[in-house]
Amino acid sequence: MPDIVQTVELKKVLNFLNKIGIQVVEKELDDTAFLPGLALGPNCIYIDFSKLLYPGDILHEAGHLAVATSETRSQIGSESLQNWPTDGEEIAAILWSFAALTYLELPSDFVFHSNGYKNGAKWLIESFSNKNYVGLPLLEWMGLTLSVENARLQNQKPFPHMQKWMRD
């Protein structure tokens, strides 16, 4: 495997994904992949380590799998899945990836790098740093986390703590 796989951050990410049940499959990918070196398949992330530019993108792609229903996850990468992800799932995946990098104690720019998020990475980092969690009601509705108010009512920890990492 290339040197990129040996970084501490990448090892943390890969171990985390294994722990929560997201399968990572090493596979040679062509240049048509939406992100360099990454593609999603049914219940898995395909990674071409020789083409991967931003290891933090793995967490964002994992977020897409995590916030999808189990039925949708099994169809990812197939012709039967159209118009996916929805705008809501995109927002949820962004917020999920913030929770994951917080859990892994990685810096925000590991995921929200300057070459991603349609030039909105800085805004996302600032928003999340100020606890302005765009999309939190959606993640809560999915049963993955709790807002401050609901966590207090249930005597639980609030976001960015996750109640569970994968949507049912």
Side-chain angles (χ1 to χ4, degrees), residues 28-46:
E28 188 174 324
L29 298 171
D30 61 28
D31 292 331
T32 62
F34 179 71
L35 293 171
L38 289 173
L40 292 176
N43 297 303
C44 71
I45 299 174
Y46 298 120

PDB file of all heavy atoms in Angstrom, residues 28-46:
ATOM      1  N   GLU A  28      -8.909  -0.363  -7.619  1.00  0.00           N
ATOM      2  CA  GLU A  28      -8.427   0.600  -8.615  1.00  0.00           C
ATOM      3  C   GLU A  28      -9.637   1.296  -9.218  1.00  0.00           C
ATOM      4  O   GLU A  28     -10.575   0.647  -9.687  1.00  0.00           O
ATOM      5  CB  GLU A  28      -7.619  -0.108  -9.698  1.00  0.00           C
ATOM      6  CG  GLU A  28      -6.945   0.851 -10.642  1.00  0.00           C
ATOM      7  CD  GLU A  28      -6.029   0.149 -11.629  1.00  0.00           C
ATOM      8  OE1 GLU A  28      -5.382  -0.846 -11.253  1.00  0.00           O
ATOM      9  OE2 GLU A  28      -5.972   0.620 -12.781  1.00  0.00           O
ATOM     10  N   LEU A  29      -9.599   2.639  -9.185  1.00  0.00           N
ATOM     11  CA  LEU A  29     -10.701   3.426  -9.723  1.00  0.00           C
ATOM     12  C   LEU A  29     -10.207   4.251 -10.905  1.00  0.00           C
ATOM     13  O   LEU A  29      -9.064   4.694 -10.915  1.00  0.00           O
ATOM     14  CB  LEU A  29     -11.258   4.362  -8.648  1.00  0.00           C
ATOM     15  CG  LEU A  29     -11.857   3.686  -7.414  1.00  0.00           C
ATOM     16  CD1 LEU A  29     -12.166   4.713  -6.336  1.00  0.00           C
ATOM     17  CD2 LEU A  29     -13.118   2.909  -7.790  1.00  0.00           C
ATOM     18  N   ASP A  30     -11.091   4.469 -11.874  1.00  0.00           N
ATOM     19  CA  ASP A  30     -10.701   5.313 -13.004  1.00  0.00           C
ATOM     20  C   ASP A  30     -10.917   6.779 -12.636  1.00  0.00           C
ATOM     21  O   ASP A  30     -11.350   7.109 -11.530  1.00  0.00           O
ATOM     22  CB  ASP A  30     -11.444   4.921 -14.284  1.00  0.00           C
ATOM     23  CG  ASP A  30     -12.949   5.070 -14.175  1.00  0.00           C
ATOM     24  OD1 ASP A  30     -13.423   5.919 -13.391  1.00  0.00           O
ATOM     25  OD2 ASP A  30     -13.655   4.352 -14.897  1.00  0.00           O
ATOM     26  N   ASP A  31     -10.653   7.655 -13.553  1.00  0.00           N
ATOM     27  CA  ASP A  31     -10.723   9.084 -13.284  1.00  0.00           C
ATOM     28  C   ASP A  31     -12.141   9.652 -13.346  1.00  0.00           C
ATOM     29  O   ASP A  31     -12.322  10.860 -13.238  1.00  0.00           O
ATOM     30  CB  ASP A  31      -9.817   9.845 -14.254  1.00  0.00           C
ATOM     31  CG  ASP A  31      -8.345   9.553 -13.992  1.00  0.00           C
ATOM     32  OD1 ASP A  31      -7.997   9.254 -12.831  1.00  0.00           O
ATOM     33  OD2 ASP A  31      -7.550   9.614 -14.948  1.00  0.00           O
ATOM     34  N   THR A  32     -13.142   8.797 -13.505  1.00  0.00           N
ATOM     35  CA  THR A  32     -14.516   9.285 -13.543  1.00  0.00           C
ATOM     36  C   THR A  32     -15.133   9.370 -12.151  1.00  0.00           C
ATOM     37  O   THR A  32     -16.255   9.857 -12.013  1.00  0.00           O
ATOM     38  CB  THR A  32     -15.402   8.390 -14.434  1.00  0.00           C
ATOM     39  OG1 THR A  32     -15.437   7.070 -13.879  1.00  0.00           O
ATOM     40  CG2 THR A  32     -14.901   8.370 -15.866  1.00  0.00           C
ATOM     41  N   ALA A  33     -14.419   8.914 -11.130  1.00  0.00           N
ATOM     42  CA  ALA A  33     -14.947   8.985  -9.759  1.00  0.00           C
ATOM     43  C   ALA A  33     -15.180  10.444  -9.384  1.00  0.00           C
ATOM     44  O   ALA A  33     -14.408  11.327  -9.758  1.00  0.00           O
ATOM     45  CB  ALA A  33     -13.976   8.332  -8.786  1.00  0.00           C
ATOM     46  N   PHE A  34     -16.258  10.707  -8.650  1.00  0.00           N
ATOM     47  CA  PHE A  34     -16.614  12.071  -8.261  1.00  0.00           C
ATOM     48  C   PHE A  34     -15.496  12.720  -7.455  1.00  0.00           C
ATOM     49  O   PHE A  34     -15.166  13.875  -7.664  1.00  0.00           O
ATOM     50  CB  PHE A  34     -17.916  12.059  -7.452  1.00  0.00           C
ATOM     51  CG  PHE A  34     -18.349  13.418  -7.002  1.00  0.00           C
ATOM     52  CD1 PHE A  34     -18.834  14.345  -7.923  1.00  0.00           C
ATOM     53  CD2 PHE A  34     -18.274  13.788  -5.677  1.00  0.00           C
ATOM     54  CE1 PHE A  34     -19.228  15.614  -7.520  1.00  0.00           C
ATOM     55  CE2 PHE A  34     -18.667  15.051  -5.262  1.00  0.00           C
ATOM     56  CZ  PHE A  34     -19.148  15.962  -6.187  1.00  0.00           C
ATOM     57  N   LEU A  35     -14.899  11.981  -6.552  1.00  0.00           N
ATOM     58  CA  LEU A  35     -13.743  12.451  -5.778  1.00  0.00           C
ATOM     59  C   LEU A  35     -12.544  11.585  -6.134  1.00  0.00           C
ATOM     60  O   LEU A  35     -12.689  10.367  -6.272  1.00  0.00           O
ATOM     61  CB  LEU A  35     -14.013  12.351  -4.269  1.00  0.00           C
ATOM     62  CG  LEU A  35     -15.090  13.274  -3.718  1.00  0.00           C
ATOM     63  CD1 LEU A  35     -15.409  12.917  -2.269  1.00  0.00           C
ATOM     64  CD2 LEU A  35     -14.657  14.728  -3.827  1.00  0.00           C
ATOM     65  N   PRO A  36     -11.378  12.182  -6.258  1.00  0.00           N
ATOM     66  CA  PRO A  36     -10.190  11.387  -6.614  1.00  0.00           C
ATOM     67  C   PRO A  36      -9.938  10.253  -5.619  1.00  0.00           C
ATOM     68  O   PRO A  36      -9.814  10.472  -4.418  1.00  0.00           O
ATOM     69  CB  PRO A  36      -9.050  12.406  -6.567  1.00  0.00           C
ATOM     70  CG  PRO A  36      -9.700  13.739  -6.721  1.00  0.00           C
ATOM     71  CD  PRO A  36     -11.058  13.607  -6.098  1.00  0.00           C
ATOM     72  N   GLY A  37      -9.927   9.035  -6.160  1.00  0.00           N
ATOM     73  CA  GLY A  37      -9.599   7.870  -5.349  1.00  0.00           C
ATOM     74  C   GLY A  37     -10.724   7.336  -4.492  1.00  0.00           C
ATOM     75  O   GLY A  37     -10.509   6.418  -3.690  1.00  0.00           O
ATOM     76  N   LEU A  38     -11.942   7.856  -4.645  1.00  0.00           N
ATOM     77  CA  LEU A  38     -13.074   7.417  -3.815  1.00  0.00           C
ATOM     78  C   LEU A  38     -14.319   7.166  -4.645  1.00  0.00           C
ATOM     79  O   LEU A  38     -14.607   7.908  -5.579  1.00  0.00           O
ATOM     80  CB  LEU A  38     -13.416   8.473  -2.761  1.00  0.00           C
ATOM     81  CG  LEU A  38     -12.458   8.664  -1.621  1.00  0.00           C
ATOM     82  CD1 LEU A  38     -12.871   9.862  -0.788  1.00  0.00           C
ATOM     83  CD2 LEU A  38     -12.381   7.424  -0.759  1.00  0.00           C
ATOM     84  N   ALA A  39     -15.046   6.150  -4.272  1.00  0.00           N
ATOM     85  CA  ALA A  39     -16.350   5.874  -4.861  1.00  0.00           C
ATOM     86  C   ALA A  39     -17.155   5.098  -3.824  1.00  0.00           C
ATOM     87  O   ALA A  39     -16.591   4.439  -2.946  1.00  0.00           O
ATOM     88  CB  ALA A  39     -16.220   5.068  -6.155  1.00  0.00           C
ATOM     89  N   LEU A  40     -18.452   5.193  -3.940  1.00  0.00           N
ATOM     90  CA  LEU A  40     -19.328   4.450  -3.046  1.00  0.00           C
ATOM     91  C   LEU A  40     -19.946   3.284  -3.786  1.00  0.00           C
ATOM     92  O   LEU A  40     -20.284   3.389  -4.962  1.00  0.00           O
ATOM     93  CB  LEU A  40     -20.429   5.356  -2.494  1.00  0.00           C
ATOM     94  CG  LEU A  40     -19.975   6.449  -1.538  1.00  0.00           C
ATOM     95  CD1 LEU A  40     -21.144   7.339  -1.141  1.00  0.00           C
ATOM     96  CD2 LEU A  40     -19.314   5.855  -0.315  1.00  0.00           C
ATOM     97  N   GLY A  41     -20.099   2.192  -3.079  1.00  0.00           N
ATOM     98  CA  GLY A  41     -20.762   1.021  -3.602  1.00  0.00           C
ATOM     99  C   GLY A  41     -21.792   0.557  -2.595  1.00  0.00           C
ATOM    100  O   GLY A  41     -21.972   1.194  -1.554  1.00  0.00           O
ATOM    101  N   PRO A  42     -22.448  -0.555  -2.875  1.00  0.00           N
ATOM    102  CA  PRO A  42     -23.451  -1.046  -1.933  1.00  0.00           C
ATOM    103  C   PRO A  42     -22.803  -1.383  -0.585  1.00  0.00           C
ATOM    104  O   PRO A  42     -21.919  -2.243  -0.508  1.00  0.00           O
ATOM    105  CB  PRO A  42     -24.028  -2.285  -2.612  1.00  0.00           C
ATOM    106  CG  PRO A  42     -23.102  -2.610  -3.726  1.00  0.00           C
ATOM    107  CD  PRO A  42     -22.288  -1.400  -4.030  1.00  0.00           C
ATOM    108  N   ASN A  43     -23.185  -0.643   0.427  1.00  0.00           N
ATOM    109  CA  ASN A  43     -22.695  -0.863   1.795  1.00  0.00           C
ATOM    110  C   ASN A  43     -21.187  -0.728   1.939  1.00  0.00           C
ATOM    111  O   ASN A  43     -20.606  -1.311   2.862  1.00  0.00           O
ATOM    112  CB  ASN A  43     -23.144  -2.236   2.321  1.00  0.00           C
ATOM    113  CG  ASN A  43     -24.641  -2.347   2.409  1.00  0.00           C
ATOM    114  OD1 ASN A  43     -25.288  -1.548   3.071  1.00  0.00           O
ATOM    115  ND2 ASN A  43     -25.207  -3.322   1.717  1.00  0.00           N
ATOM    116  N   CYS A  44     -20.524   0.009   1.055  1.00  0.00           N
ATOM    117  CA  CYS A  44     -19.060   0.107   1.158  1.00  0.00           C
ATOM    118  C   CYS A  44     -18.514   1.374   0.514  1.00  0.00           C
ATOM    119  O   CYS A  44     -19.198   2.040  -0.253  1.00  0.00           O
ATOM    120  CB  CYS A  44     -18.397  -1.113   0.528  1.00  0.00           C
ATOM    121  SG  CYS A  44     -18.494  -1.170  -1.276  1.00  0.00           S
ATOM    122  N   ILE A  45     -17.266   1.646   0.857  1.00  0.00           N
ATOM    123  CA  ILE A  45     -16.511   2.715   0.225  1.00  0.00           C
ATOM    124  C   ILE A  45     -15.371   2.064  -0.538  1.00  0.00           C
ATOM    125  O   ILE A  45     -14.633   1.248   0.025  1.00  0.00           O
ATOM    126  CB  ILE A  45     -15.920   3.687   1.263  1.00  0.00           C
ATOM    127  CG1 ILE A  45     -17.014   4.347   2.083  1.00  0.00           C
ATOM    128  CG2 ILE A  45     -15.047   4.746   0.581  1.00  0.00           C
ATOM    129  CD1 ILE A  45     -16.489   5.202   3.217  1.00  0.00           C
ATOM    130  N   TYR A  46     -15.246   2.389  -1.817  1.00  0.00           N
ATOM    131  CA  TYR A  46     -14.104   1.943  -2.611  1.00  0.00           C
ATOM    132  C   TYR A  46     -13.026   3.014  -2.521  1.00  0.00           C
ATOM    133  O   TYR A  46     -13.315   4.199  -2.698  1.00  0.00           O
ATOM    134  CB  TYR A  46     -14.490   1.750  -4.079  1.00  0.00           C
ATOM    135  CG  TYR A  46     -15.552   0.703  -4.314  1.00  0.00           C
ATOM    136  CD1 TYR A  46     -16.763   1.035  -4.905  1.00  0.00           C
ATOM    137  CD2 TYR A  46     -15.326  -0.630  -3.963  1.00  0.00           C
ATOM    138  CE1 TYR A  46     -17.737   0.078  -5.125  1.00  0.00           C
ATOM    139  CE2 TYR A  46     -16.300  -1.597  -4.186  1.00  0.00           C
ATOM    140  CZ  TYR A  46     -17.501  -1.238  -4.772  1.00  0.00           C
ATOM    141  OH  TYR A  46     -18.467  -2.186  -4.988  1.00  0.00           O
TER     142      TYR A  46
END
